[in-house]
């Protein structure tokens, strides 16, 4: 089994916590992992991406070849589209937050952006901000998106849940429970779309 | 032993600790910063009292490390590629003194310039200094090589260079650790002349260094980090160094390449292995991250045979990072591609954070400079370099650490009036103080704005040597007290700040204005910490 994921977002949105959690679950299963991150200048509100690779076999490249990614997981809709050249055009899935993050003057028209997302074959577009807010933690939108991606991750859902618990354990039960609720809500949404 | 997930940078740091490191010396710089930060945050480092406080710049870091090596202990210096330019003087001369305690210099190059002003290749510095150097291909090798580098350094009494690149520095993978070794005891070298580079001594030492070259190459020939992997199809042979080796292997099922492959991670180049490949294969592709360092040496400037291909021949791009697709194309394998980027996707360049103090400084600068026309603001390296982008378009130069002040001086010497230099607090103590001294010495008409956000912001908020002492430093360097001003870059002070800048621009001498307000990132982190502490106490 191999899973190649492009994580996308804007610097400061915290795309790496998704990688930390999935990575924890995968490494616990004894899988190999490589994860190329972006540090430095682009973290200041620019576009950021992470190449995140999991496999039963040793992984050669830190970067995913173009056209070979199994998923794009994005916390921002325009950013999800930036990495389409990496997504497998036949079998790849795009999972993205629908809530735009507008910090540039020439951000595209949101209707046109949604129409472009609609035109894609395999996608889950989810208003993670709204769902997370309703569950009491706007900051947990990441977990909603991870939940929405989880049906396509080939990892048992219990193991992803366990990794979320582990990741937030030191912040107390309330934080753990909110994040689990967000994860489940995201998954439920994606299951309904199937 | 179970594997631990480490960034390439962290693998280097952990290996150094396990190899009995006594001190790391560094100035923050992407993509090298995480090495030192890992040691600062490491329990093992604290318990071993491993020195890890940031240095003022890369030169002082390198010199401190040479001093620690002189005293018999293992020392490491870390920097980004352009940092080695700053440290070049002690670095080059450390190859002549040689090392006593293990001395390892780690330099992280940034091909494609993700966060840098050039993509210079530090392997040239390794060759220039005639010392052994390494180029790990993955995180495990980053660990194993660092561990081995200290042994190598002590075996041959030589500094050793490790060259990382961005993708390895900032990519995470599982790493298996070795047993931790104790630190060295204090021990001064018996030869009293070793570290005295008087010409008479230096000539002797230089010959000693030249005499070691054959042994260095033999080490490379027998190194576990260099591998000749035979392949049945001799139409092509591939020399792949560092991380390029991974991009190559990504292209083959089960990482089985049909062509012979020479993997290089240790230098000087093992010429015997290269000769074997060139003799055996019709064409040799050289895949390397950075400059065509190996390719140029193997083909020679005359390119007589014409069968060595790579970045120089055009088989691979001359600039920028490599990736698996570029190597596939060079090998004649089918290229892969997903879907094109939709046209509505626009670039999202990095920007100053909402609430950043530099925003207020630039708004004031732009207003004060408006009447003087464009091209008279000289800036430096840091977050405030983003003032070059819209909506500010406030600065006209960014060259190297400290250059703002001295470039402004040169322009003033040429007759340009008025000139304004913009530099950050940490960049000022890194390399701006001597520049300011030059201005004071000649009483050059220049207004220097030291944007004091009380941190080294761009690299993630490391401590700044300038904290609380900038006014004193400027006074000490000879700037007249009445021309040193601290201001607060806030909207409510905007008018007063503009007036002050205008007044000092009109002064025919050196003035320093220090807009002082904490970086919004470090401030919010500090607040969060305080809140957490309050919560824990209640």
């Amino acid at each position: 089994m191999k899973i190649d994921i492009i994580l996308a977002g804007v610097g400061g949105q915290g795309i790496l916590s998704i990688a930390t959690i999935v990575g924890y679950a995968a490494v616990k299963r004894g899988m190999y992992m490589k994860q190329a991150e972006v540090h430095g200048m682009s973290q200041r509100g620019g576009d950021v991406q992470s190449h995140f690779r999991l496999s039963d076999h040793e992984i050669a490249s830190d970067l995913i070849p173009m056209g070979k990614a199994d998923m794009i997981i994005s916390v921002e809709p325009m950013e999800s589209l930036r990495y389409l050249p990496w997504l497998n055009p036949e079998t790849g899935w795009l999972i993205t937050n629908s809530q735009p993050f507008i910090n540039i003057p020439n951000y595209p028209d949101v209707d046109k952006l949604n129409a472009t997302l609609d035109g894609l074959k395999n996608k889950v577009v989810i208003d993670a901000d709204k769902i997370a807010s309703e569950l009491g933690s706007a900051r947990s939108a990441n977990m909603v998106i991870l939940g929405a991606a989880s049906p396509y991750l080939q990892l048992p859902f219990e193991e992803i849940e366990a990794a979320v618990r582990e990741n937030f354990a030191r912040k107390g039960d309330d934080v753990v429970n909110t994040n689990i609720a967000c994860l489940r809500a995201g998954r439920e949404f994606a299951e309904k779309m199937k | 032993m179970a594997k631990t997930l480490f960034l390439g940078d962290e693998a280097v740091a952990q290996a150094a600790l396990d190899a009995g490191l006594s001190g790391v010396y560094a100035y923050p710089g992407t993509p090298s910063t995480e090495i030192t930060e890992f040691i600062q945050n490491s329990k093992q480092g604290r318990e071993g009292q491993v020195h890890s406080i940031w240095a003022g710049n890369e030169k002082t870091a390198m010199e401190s490390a040479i001093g620690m090596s002189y005293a018999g202990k293992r020392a490491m210096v870390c920097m980004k590629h352009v940092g080695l330019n700053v440290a070049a003087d002690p670095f080059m001369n450390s190859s002549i003194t040689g090392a006593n305690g293990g001395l390892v210099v780690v330099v992280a190059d940034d091909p494609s310039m993700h966060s840098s002003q050039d993509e210079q290749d530090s392997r040239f510095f390794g060759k220039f200094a005639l010392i052994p150097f390494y180029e790990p291909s993955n995180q495990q090798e980053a660990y194993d090589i660092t561990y081995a580098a200290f042994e190598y350094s002590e075996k041959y009494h030589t500094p050793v260079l490790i060259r990382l690149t961005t993708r390895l520095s900032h990519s995470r993978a599982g790493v298996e650790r070795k047993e931790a070794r104790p630190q060295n005891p204090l021990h001064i070298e018996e030869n009293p002349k070793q570290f005295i580079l008087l010409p008479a001594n230096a000539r002797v030492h230089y010959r000693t260094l030249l005499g070691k070259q054959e042994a260095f190459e033999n080490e490379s020939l027998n190194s576990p980090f260099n591998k000749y992997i035979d392949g049945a199809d001799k139409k092509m042979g591939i020399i792949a160094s560092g991380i390029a080796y991974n991009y190559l292997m990504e292209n083959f099922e089960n990482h089985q390449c049909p062509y012979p492959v020479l993997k290089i991670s240790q230098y000087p180049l093992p010429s015997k292995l290269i000769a074997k490949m060139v003799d055996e294969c019709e064409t040799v592709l050289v895949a390397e991250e950075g400059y065509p360092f190996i390719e140029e040496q193997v083909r020679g400037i005359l390119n007589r045979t014409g069968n060595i291909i790579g970045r120089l021949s055009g088989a691979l791009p001359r600039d920028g990072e490599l990736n698996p697709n570029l190597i596939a194309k060079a090998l004649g394998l089918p290229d892969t591609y997903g879907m094109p980027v939709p046209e509505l996707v626009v670039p999202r360049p990095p920007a100053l954070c909402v609430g950043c103090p530099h925003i207020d400084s630039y708004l004031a600068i732009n207003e004060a400079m408006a009447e003087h026309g464009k091209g008279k603001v000289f800036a430096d390296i840091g977050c405030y370099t983003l003032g070059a982008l819209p909506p500010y378009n406030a600065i006209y130069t960014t060259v190297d650490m400290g250059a703002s002040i001295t470039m402004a001086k040169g322009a003033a010497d040429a007759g340009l009036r008025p000139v304004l230099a913009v530099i950050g607090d940490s960049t000022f103590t890194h390399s701006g103080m001597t520049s300011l001294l030059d201005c004071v010495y000649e009483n050059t008409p220049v207004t220097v704005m030291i944007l004091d956000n009380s941190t080294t912001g761009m690299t993630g908020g490391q401590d700044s040597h300038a904290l609380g002492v900038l006014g004193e430093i400027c006074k000490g360097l000879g700037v007249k007290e009445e021309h040193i001003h601290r201001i607060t870059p806030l909207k409510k002070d905007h008018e007063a700040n503009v007036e002050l800048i205008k007044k000092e621009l009109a002064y025919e001498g050196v003035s320093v204005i220090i807009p002082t307000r904490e970086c919004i990132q470090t401030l919010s982190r500090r607040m969060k910490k305080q809140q957490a502490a309050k919560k824990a106490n209640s």
Side-chain angles (χ1 to χ4, degrees), chain A residues 10 34-35 37 39 41 44 46-47 53 58 60-63 65-66 76 79 82 84-85 87 101 103 116, chain B residues 34 115 139 170-173 243 246-247 250 255 324-325 336-339 341 344 346 348 350-351 457-458:
Chain A
V10 179
K34 277 201 173 185
Q35 187 205 334
E37 302 172 0
H39 297 204
M41 198 172 221
R44 301 275 165 266
D47 57 277
R53 315 192 70 186
E58 200 156 344
S61 168
D62 298 78
L63 297 176
M66 288 195 168
E76 208 282 341
E79 292 308 323
R82 197 185 296 284
L84 283 178
L87 191 64
F101 184 89
N103 64 344
T116 309
Chain B
E34 293 81 357
S115 248
Q139 292 77 358
H170 288 167
S171 176
R172 219 175 275 281
I243 203 163
N246 302 343
Y247 297 149
E250 181 70 27
H255 310 158
N325 293 83
T336 55
Y337 194 77
M339 287 166 268
V341 183
L344 56 77
V346 291
R348 195 189 302 256
M458 182 59 94

Side-chain angles (χ1 to χ4, degrees), chain A residues 64-83:
Chain A
I64 301 168
M66 288 195 168
K68 298 277 185 80
D70 302 296
M71 299 173 81
I72 293 171
I73 302 180
S74 179
V75 291
E76 208 282 341
M78 182 181 81
E79 292 308 323
S80 74
L81 297 171
R82 197 185 296 284
Y83 304 100

Side-chain angles (χ1 to χ4, degrees), chain B residues 297-352:
Chain B
Q297 290 183 68
V298 176
R299 78 175 213 173
I301 55 165
L302 299 181
N303 193 19
R304 282 264 159 80
T305 56
N307 65 339
I308 312 294
I309 61 169
R311 287 184 183 270
L312 283 173
S313 76
L316 290 165
R318 179 64 180 76
D319 65 334
E321 279 188 300
L322 295 177
N323 61 45
N325 293 83
L326 290 172
I327 305 258
K329 273 187 269 186
L331 289 170
L333 296 170
D335 195 11
T336 55
Y337 194 77
M339 287 166 268
V341 183
E343 262 174 40
L344 56 77
V345 175
V346 291
R348 195 189 302 256
L352 292 172

Side-chain angles (χ1 to χ4, degrees), chain A residues 8 18 22 26 78 86 104 106 111 116 137 147 175:
Chain A
I18 296 177
V22 179
M78 182 181 81
W86 275 267
I104 45 172
N106 56 339
D111 291 335
T116 309
S137 171
V175 176

Side-chain angles (χ1 to χ4, degrees), chain B residues 258-296:
Chain B
Y259 310 115
V261 174
L262 174 56
K263 171 190 175 293
I264 298 286
S265 284
Q266 185 174 332
Y267 301 76
L269 287 169
S271 54
K272 277 185 196 154
L273 297 180
I274 289 171
K276 179 175 153 78
M277 171 153 289
V278 172
D279 291 345
E280 216 167 66
C281 303
E282 285 174 34
T283 303
V284 174
L285 171 70
V286 185
E288 52 193 324
E289 193 74 303
Y291 287 15
F293 175 80
I294 301 175
E295 186 186 354
E296 192 169 66

Side-chain angles (χ1 to χ4, degrees), chain B residues 197-210:
Chain B
L197 294 186
L198 275 169
N201 298 344
R203 281 180 211 118
V204 175
H205 295 344
Y206 183 49
R207 264 178 251 129
T208 308
L209 174 66
L210 293 173

